[in-house]
Amino acid sequence: MDRRRFLKTAAAVGGVLAAPNLAAPNLALAADSKVLKFVPQANLANLDPIWTTQYVVRNASLLIWDTLLGVDAQLQPKPQMVESWDATADSKTWTFKLRSGLKFHDGEPVLAKDCVASIKRWWVRDAPMGGPISKRTDALEVVDDRTFRFRLNQPYPKMLFALGKSNTPLLVIMPERMANTDPFKQISEYVGSGPMRFKRDEWVPGAKAVFEKFDGYVPRDEKASWLSGGKRMNFDRIEWLIQPDGATAGAALQNGEVDWLETPVSDLIPLFRKSPNVVVDIADPLGNIGSFRMNHLHPPFNDVRARRAVQIALSQADYMQAVMGEDESLWKTLPGYFTPETPLYTENGGEPLKGPRDYEGAKKLLADAGYKGEPITLLVATDVAITKAMGDVTADLLKKIGMNVDYVSTDWGTVGQRRASKEPPAKGGWNIFHTWHAGADCVNPAPYTALDCSGPTAWFGWPQSDVVQGKIAEWYAAPDLAAEQKVAAELNKAAMEHVVYVPTGFFRMYQAWQKNLSGVVKAPFPVFWDVTKT
């Protein structure tokens, strides 16, 4: 019996959260107003926001490390660690000054040299935004302890957004010694200057991660908005409690044993709404785009015909129903790459994702691509409900079009490790994995890591297309919104033809929390500052 059928059956006999056969989580009651107990979307298996692009790592990193700038709820970059900046008239020289009083968790001051080293580590891994800055930079230099400067050989119009963006890889400021770590190796210590310290001595991957308030943190004076403004922490301690089973996590929230679920399973939302002690709301109105990610380096998906075979056979409705259930107000099909209801949204070139699915056409394309029944390594993170649901639909889809499925059941942390391998699938690599992209990261090409087609420096899957990259460059040069929209339509068509990846649909998720919490906001990530508990 699958998860959804189990939940429905349990509800029919008295409510899932009261079902006697649900295992009660072994957690202390979340009664202390200075302790927040939070259930994240996935296990925190590593903690390096440059090395990995997993959202769960980004979310934890936002507690530990601070950013130079931070985007607000209108996706506008605002000062955070930076006090001020200045740009020359030609936008080729940018000078940034840090605000005073910034300290790392080990008591050392945050200096310009730390910022320079952190930026240089970040731009190696961030192909869409960091890479172009690196290529345009003649010098990135320390001016004094609180000031650093970029000297560019040509303007970069998204400089402020790049330094404060919320998507991964995340530009956080680390001590110079940590920032000097090879960008392709994980850091081995976790010293930041953000509002919370990481309690490494209490970290149990797969079970718990703990953060405690950093008394040396001085928040900005402004009201907080997403990553901008004053990050005022009202908790002495935040405990992340890993609960891969959605029913168990739901029971813990219902019983008051945890305070906040980042991604409750959608089947439990009607029951939460009947509870007098639980609040539910859409987590992020910009939603998410599901992703069917293929490896462009190895057969069969190094041949665009094999990628197109998946594209014309894949039913987005099947994926969305598996992920979000029967409430169609939470999802829609998406014949494009950009976030719906935003200025650049377009369906130009999206015909392969529309209309009846063509299994026979897919089989012919696979044959034309030279596929002869070789195993297709499908990485499925079964500890995350979203990826598990999509993986199961994919396994069925591949069989329908005549592919031999090697279903690798694993955890999200292992997917994060293995997807970085460029080795052939038979030697520890992969063919397919599933994830999702926050709508805030897909509003335009600048933060859109998954759309980058720079080949060796692109995101996992390493797609390469001069046409797609050329359209991205044209978007940067567009003088106004009308020009941006024209280029975005052409970019969408080019990306569809190349099959950079296959969107599995657009969906919005809920978050749920105890009624005695206040200050929970809608965002692409959990915002812990300004939240209080009575």
Side-chain angles (χ1 to χ4, degrees):
M1 182 181 291
D2 63 25
R3 174 182 60 85
R4 179 156 282 121
R5 287 174 61 201
F6 169 76
L7 292 174
K8 287 181 178 179
T9 302
V13 295
V16 149
L17 302 185
N21 57 338
L22 284 182
N26 184 21
L27 306 171
L29 286 175
D32 189 336
S33 65
K34 291 296 183 179
V35 177
L36 179 74
K37 293 181 183 288
F38 175 77
V39 179
Q41 61 180 248
N43 175 36
L44 185 66
N46 66 78
L47 195 50
D48 186 339
I50 302 301
W51 181 85
T52 185
T53 56
Q54 290 182 318
Y55 284 144
V56 67
V57 177
R58 183 272 313 270
N59 298 347
S61 299
L62 290 173
L63 288 170
I64 303 167
W65 288 284
D66 221 341
T67 56
L68 294 168
L69 290 90
V71 295
D72 64 12
Q74 284 71 50
L75 296 177
Q76 297 302 308
K78 298 294 177 63
Q80 186 47 257
M81 298 178 78
V82 163
E83 177 182 278
S84 61
W85 62 81
D86 178 69
T88 56
D90 61 5
S91 295
K92 290 184 179 180
T93 302
W94 290 81
T95 305
F96 294 88
K97 184 176 182 179
L98 297 172
R99 58 189 175 101
S100 62
L102 297 175
K103 289 193 297 186
F104 287 114
H105 298 159
D106 59 6
E108 293 296 315
V110 178
L111 302 175
K113 66 177 184 178
D114 303 305
C115 300
V116 168
S118 296
I119 292 168
K120 288 182 176 179
R121 184 169 189 258
W122 161 76
W123 71 22
V124 172
R125 296 304 302 263
D126 191 320
M129 303 200 77
I133 295 174
S134 173
K135 292 173 183 176
R136 288 168 168 81
T137 299
D138 287 334
L140 174 54
E141 56 200 6
V142 172
V143 177
D144 58 41
D145 280 352
R146 289 177 56 197
T147 311
F148 63 94
R149 177 182 298 136
F150 290 89
R151 289 193 287 111
L152 309 179
N153 50 51
Q154 63 181 27
Y156 184 73
K158 296 291 184 180
M159 175 66 81
L160 298 179
F161 185 84
L163 300 187
K165 69 188 182 74
S166 64
N167 74 304
T168 58
L170 186 69
L171 174 53
V172 298
I173 302 306
M174 300 177 175
E176 183 184 36
R177 67 181 186 277
M178 291 171 53
N180 285 336
T181 303
D182 183 335
F184 294 93
K185 295 181 179 178
Q186 293 186 48
I187 56 175
S188 58
E189 57 176 323
Y190 310 104
V191 176
S193 65
M196 304 292 282
R197 300 174 185 261
F198 183 60
K199 292 283 289 176
R200 186 170 184 171
D201 59 326
E202 296 189 52
W203 186 19
V204 183
K208 183 172 72 171
V210 176
F211 310 83
E212 67 176 10
K213 188 174 183 179
F214 175 44
D215 291 333
Y217 184 77
V218 179
R220 296 187 65 86
D221 291 335
E222 305 95 336
K223 178 178 173 56
S225 176
W226 284 14
L227 300 186
S228 70
K231 300 177 182 178
R232 294 172 180 84
M233 299 302 306
N234 297 306
F235 300 103
D236 295 333
R237 182 178 170 95
I238 296 177
E239 297 180 2
W240 283 30
L241 302 167
I242 313 304
Q243 290 288 340
D245 179 74
T248 303
L253 182 70
Q254 180 89 342
N255 297 334
E257 295 161 338
V258 299
D259 299 301
W260 187 355
L261 302 187
E262 182 183 358
T263 54
V265 293
S266 57
D267 302 274
L268 298 183
I269 298 305
L271 294 166
F272 285 153
R273 284 184 169 141
K274 295 176 182 177
S275 171
N277 299 318
V278 175
V279 180
V280 295
D281 199 359
I282 294 295
D284 177 15
L286 288 173
N288 306 273
I289 295 176
S291 175
F292 187 120
R293 192 75 178 181
M294 289 171 277
N295 192 331
H296 291 231
L297 296 183
H298 303 293
F301 299 122
N302 61 335
D303 190 312
V304 68
R305 290 171 294 185
R307 301 196 297 274
R308 288 174 181 167
V310 169
Q311 189 183 49
I312 66 172
L314 180 150
S315 167
Q316 292 184 326
D318 287 350
Y319 282 87
M320 292 297 94
Q321 287 168 359
V323 170
M324 297 307 300
E326 298 172 359
D327 186 352
E328 294 188 18
S329 68
L330 295 176
W331 61 267
K332 64 176 69 176
T333 56
L334 180 69
Y337 288 103
F338 295 105
T339 306
E341 302 172 18
T342 62
L344 298 190
Y345 178 72
T346 175
E347 297 183 6
N348 188 41
E351 288 75 17
L353 290 174
K354 298 179 180 180
R357 302 293 78 203
D358 188 357
Y359 298 136
E360 293 306 313
K363 291 176 183 178
K364 183 178 185 306
L365 283 171
L366 287 175
D368 292 344
Y371 177 69
K372 294 181 177 140
E374 297 86 353
I376 301 299
T377 300
L378 169 63
L379 303 182
V380 181
T382 56
D383 61 335
V384 178
I386 296 170
T387 55
K388 172 65 164 61
M390 288 197 285
D392 289 347
V393 175
T394 292
D396 182 62
L397 169 66
L398 298 181
K399 292 173 185 175
K400 286 179 178 176
I401 60 176
M403 302 193 90
N404 178 14
V405 183
D406 174 22
Y407 185 107
V408 179
S409 176
T410 185
D411 61 274
W412 186 231
T414 300
V415 171
Q417 297 269 354
R418 187 165 174 176
R419 70 184 184 180
S421 173
K422 293 183 179 180
E423 291 292 324
K427 295 184 178 180
W430 56 279
N431 292 116
I432 300 167
F433 76 88
H434 285 291
T435 187
W436 69 95
H437 309 298
D441 299 346
C442 306
V443 294
N444 65 53
Y448 208 152
T449 304
L451 204 57
D452 178 76
C453 273
S454 58
T457 61
W459 197 57
F460 310 116
W462 307 281
Q464 186 161 5
S465 168
D466 292 341
V467 176
V468 171
Q469 290 304 95
K471 292 301 176 184
I472 292 173
E474 286 183 38
W475 175 83
Y476 272 106
D480 53 39
L481 179 58
E484 287 186 22
Q485 289 173 326
K486 178 178 181 297
V487 175
E490 295 167 354
L491 169 58
N492 195 79
K493 186 173 188 293
M496 280 285 172
E497 290 176 350
H498 190 70
V499 197
V500 179
Y501 75 91
V502 183
T504 59
F506 174 80
F507 61 99
R508 293 184 173 95
M509 293 187 288
Y510 285 106
Q511 57 182 336
W513 63 93
Q514 288 284 334
K515 208 165 194 176
N516 63 343
L517 283 191
S518 60
V520 177
V521 301
K522 297 179 180 181
F525 42 82
V527 177
F528 294 100
W529 34 94
D530 284 347
V531 175
T532 58
K533 177 180 172 183
T534 57

